[in-house]
Amino acid sequence: MSVLRITKHGEEVLKKPSKPFDFGAMKKDLPALLRDMWATMYAARGVGLAAPQIGLNVRVAVIDVRPDDKPQRLTLINPEILSKEGELQEEEGCLSIPGLYAPVKRSARVRIRAMDQHGRSYEVAGQGLLARAFQHEIDHLDGKLFIDRLPLGDRLKVSRLIKDLRARWA
Ligand code: ZN
């Protein structure tokens, strides 16, 4: 199990849409990949991590928003959003843009379908932080960061902030 370096804003792998995970071809690599993703996410104190954040353009993400302070691990392989409802604007951050937080409008309730670590299809609904995490991580798999969801004026402000922050990133 390894804690991996998290890719940062500006790196190509975060801008590219990821390819579907192919269980036939990649199944044997999945346990190690997921172990590394969980280790990396927890070490960075994140609530979610997508494969492009460890340098892989494949549609795999992990989420644990720790409801009631207890672990609740969700493995999302080839996830898709089935339905969304409502709207909520809340502060959001990203392990790939450390130090930056901004309010982002997201759907308040989201239902997704994905495959788990065994390749079994499941559906799950989330609201609040979990709904936000679903949308944030699926955005990563589509090559988008949360700052791409900001209004133009905020994006300009944020790009200046990122210039200053970048000097501190590893
Ligand atoms: Zn992120």
Side-chain angles (χ1 to χ4, degrees):
M1 181 169 80
S2 324
V3 173
L4 304 175
R5 176 186 171 271
I6 295 177
T7 55
K8 302 296 186 306
H9 172 270
E11 294 182 43
E12 217 40 54
V13 69
L14 290 173
K15 299 178 201 167
K16 279 201 286 194
S18 290
K19 291 195 172 65
F21 182 86
D22 179 347
F23 265 91
M26 301 164 88
K27 196 179 172 191
K28 66 173 182 0
D29 300 321
L30 187 61
L33 170 65
L34 290 174
R35 273 199 301 275
D36 289 350
M37 288 181 71
W38 286 120
T40 304
M41 188 198 87
Y42 288 123
R45 299 176 186 284
V47 297
L49 188 78
Q53 295 182 280
I54 55 159
L56 286 176
N57 277 124
V58 59
R59 300 185 79 82
V60 175
V62 294
I63 291 177
D64 183 359
V65 299
R66 299 187 61 85
D68 308 316
D69 249 357
K70 292 191 193 84
Q72 185 195 55
R73 292 179 173 214
L74 290 171
T75 300
L76 278 62
I77 300 175
N78 299 336
E80 46 183 325
I81 291 179
L82 298 176
S83 62
K84 20 182 163 183
E85 262 176 63
E87 200 177 68
L88 201 60
Q89 177 162 311
E90 272 178 356
E91 195 99 317
E92 202 164 313
C94 178
L95 296 176
S96 292
I97 322 176
L100 185 80
Y101 299 88
V104 184
K105 253 186 218 161
R106 299 278 192 186
S107 299
R109 290 172 297 282
V110 170
R111 183 167 193 88
I112 65 154
R113 179 192 295 138
M115 281 188 286
D116 68 10
Q117 61 272 34
H118 309 293
R120 287 189 292 247
S121 178
Y122 69 97
E123 287 184 21
V124 59
Q127 55 182 348
L129 182 56
L130 183 56
R132 185 164 294 271
F134 287 152
Q135 295 167 86
H136 182 112
E137 301 311 330
I138 291 172
D139 268 359
H140 271 302
L141 303 182
D142 293 331
K144 284 196 198 98
L145 296 175
F146 79 91
I147 54 172
D148 300 325
R149 300 263 176 208
L150 299 175
L152 182 61
D154 290 351
R155 282 215 300 276
L156 294 174
K157 262 187 262 167
V158 152
S159 63
R160 284 195 295 272
L161 282 173
I162 287 176
K163 263 191 199 158
D164 297 334
L165 289 169
R166 192 178 294 281
R168 289 182 239 152
W169 295 347

